[in-house]
């Protein structure tokens, strides 16, 4: 264990008289990472497809990951694209399809899928796909951001 000398700020509860704004102390440092993590993240999910739809739901499917220690997939969706931050996410475990329900006809939805391994490493998002359902017809396109 290593010890470092530190000039640390007082917390108001520790400095009730308001004298000075710091204290000298030795701090014990326990490294949280002794070796760099060299595990590559999983390969992103490929080939999103939309085999079934209605005016209020859509089924998404994708190619199965060839990753040996695959634990599952997550489906993300939202009505607005905010740089890969989605309001809704569902862990579908090892299923390679998922049906999103309670969609509003004529509204566009951004959808992406990730996979993750047994160590908790999650892939990057599949291509963000924008889908709109209108009169039981699907309009979609992929958005790529690099």
């Amino acid at each position: 264990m290593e010890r470092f000398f530190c000039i640390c700020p007082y917390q108001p509860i520790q400095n009730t008289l308001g004298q000075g704004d710091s204290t000298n102390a030795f701090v014990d440092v326990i490294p949280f990472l002794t070796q760099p993590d060299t595990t590559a993240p999983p390969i992103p999910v490929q080939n999103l497809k939309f085999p079934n739809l209605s005016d209020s739901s859509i089924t998404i499917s994708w190619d199965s990951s060839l990753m040996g220690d695959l634990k599952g997939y997550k489906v993300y969706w939202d009505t607005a694209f905010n740089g890969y931050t989605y309001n809704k996410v569902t862990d579908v475990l090892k299923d390679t399809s998922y049906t999103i329900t309670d969609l509003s006809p004529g509204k566009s939805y951004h959808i992406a899928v990730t996979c993750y391994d047994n160590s908790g490493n999650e892939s990057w998002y599949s291509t963000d796909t924008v889908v709109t359902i209108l009169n039981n017809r699907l309009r979609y396109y992929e958005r790529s951001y690099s």
Side-chain angles (χ1 to χ4, degrees):
M1 181 174 355
E2 297 182 51
R3 294 189 75 164
F4 291 95
F5 185 74
C6 167
I7 299 177
C8 305
Y10 272 120
Q11 295 295 322
I13 198 165
Q14 297 169 326
N15 187 12
T16 56
L17 299 176
Q19 298 175 343
D21 61 358
S22 63
T23 183
N24 299 330
F26 280 98
V27 178
D28 292 327
V29 177
I30 300 172
F32 68 93
L33 183 63
T34 56
Q35 295 179 354
D37 183 359
T38 58
T39 306
I43 296 170
V45 171
Q46 304 290 316
N47 298 321
L48 263 60
K49 300 175 222 45
F50 304 95
N52 296 312
L53 67 115
S54 73
D55 268 345
S56 62
S57 69
I58 186 167
T59 299
I60 307 150
S61 65
W62 53 89
D63 290 351
S64 180
S65 173
L66 301 177
M67 184 170 50
D69 66 341
L70 174 73
K71 187 169 183 182
Y73 301 95
K74 293 181 182 179
V75 178
Y76 294 83
W77 73 98
D78 200 347
T79 55
F81 182 76
N82 297 313
Y84 291 104
T85 57
Y86 298 88
N87 281 334
K88 298 185 180 183
V89 60
T90 298
D91 189 331
V92 297
L93 301 175
K94 289 189 176 181
D95 289 339
T96 56
S97 67
Y98 179 71
T99 300
I100 300 174
T101 58
D102 298 324
L103 302 178
S104 299
K107 194 170 219 172
S108 293
Y109 294 88
H110 294 260
I111 301 171
V113 179
T114 63
C115 62
Y116 59 96
D117 63 20
N118 290 315
S119 299
N121 299 311
E122 189 170 359
S123 72
W124 184 244
Y125 298 95
S126 62
T127 303
D128 178 70
T129 303
V130 182
V131 300
T132 306
I133 302 170
L134 192 55
N135 298 325
N136 282 335
R137 298 188 75 169
L138 176 67
R139 183 184 74 149
Y140 73 94
Y141 61 93
E142 294 179 349
R143 295 177 66 143
S144 180
Y145 301 92
S146 41

